[in-house]
Amino acid sequence: MKSIKPGRGPSMMGGLGSVFGIIFGIFWTVLAASMTQGFGLVGIIFPLFGVLFVIIGICNAVYNFKNATGKNRYSEFDITDDTEEPDPLNRYFGDKPESTPDTHSSGSGFCPYCGAPVQSDFAFCRKCGKALPKE
């Protein structure tokens, strides 16, 4: 079955980037509040940008860390297939290794990955470029 999912590595990097955004938002809020004391409305609005960074960072961190460590990830970014190479972080966070393609379908004259017609002496599919299983 085809699905669109981010890899676990990019999701983990996004989660770590969100943590840095949260830290930045905290520093922004504290420093902006201390620098704008006594400036009236500006002294209230300017530190709120830091609070906004913290809220957005928390939402992104939850989303990305759930994608990086969850069994069923949210769909976005990359089209993957059960027959493609496995995600390297699946051995740490996944529940089972990825399945391999059926080798009995290659004798029918069609690529088991994309369904394009192939000849029996082909080593690779002309359409998708994947190595064809040997009989």
Side-chain angles (χ1 to χ4, degrees), residues 58-91:
I58 289 171
C59 293
N60 278 330
V62 168
Y63 171 79
N64 285 307
F65 285 132
K66 182 172 172 114
N67 275 345
T69 60
K71 179 178 173 184
N72 293 320
R73 297 176 283 173
Y74 291 121
S75 293
E76 199 175 327
F77 304 131
D78 187 24
I79 298 175
T80 59
D81 196 356
D82 291 340
T83 58
E84 292 183 26
E85 66 183 47
D87 192 339
L89 292 177
N90 272 342
R91 64 180 159 191

Side-chain angles (χ1 to χ4, degrees), residues 1-85:
M1 168 160 66
K2 292 193 182 287
S3 59
I4 303 173
K5 297 181 178 181
R8 294 186 189 277
S11 292
M12 187 62 75
M13 288 189 307
L16 293 175
S18 299
V19 170
F20 287 118
I22 293 169
I23 294 169
F24 173 77
I26 292 169
F27 279 120
W28 178 286
T29 303
V30 171
L31 293 174
S34 67
M35 289 189 308
T36 58
Q37 287 178 346
F39 283 103
L41 187 60
V42 173
I44 296 170
I45 293 176
F46 199 56
L48 287 179
F49 286 113
V51 174
L52 184 64
F53 269 98
V54 171
I55 292 170
I56 291 172
I58 289 171
C59 293
N60 278 330
V62 168
Y63 171 79
N64 285 307
F65 285 132
K66 182 172 172 114
N67 275 345
T69 60
K71 179 178 173 184
N72 293 320
R73 297 176 283 173
Y74 291 121
S75 293
E76 199 175 327
F77 304 131
D78 187 24
I79 298 175
T80 59
D81 196 356
D82 291 340
T83 58
E84 292 183 26
E85 66 183 47

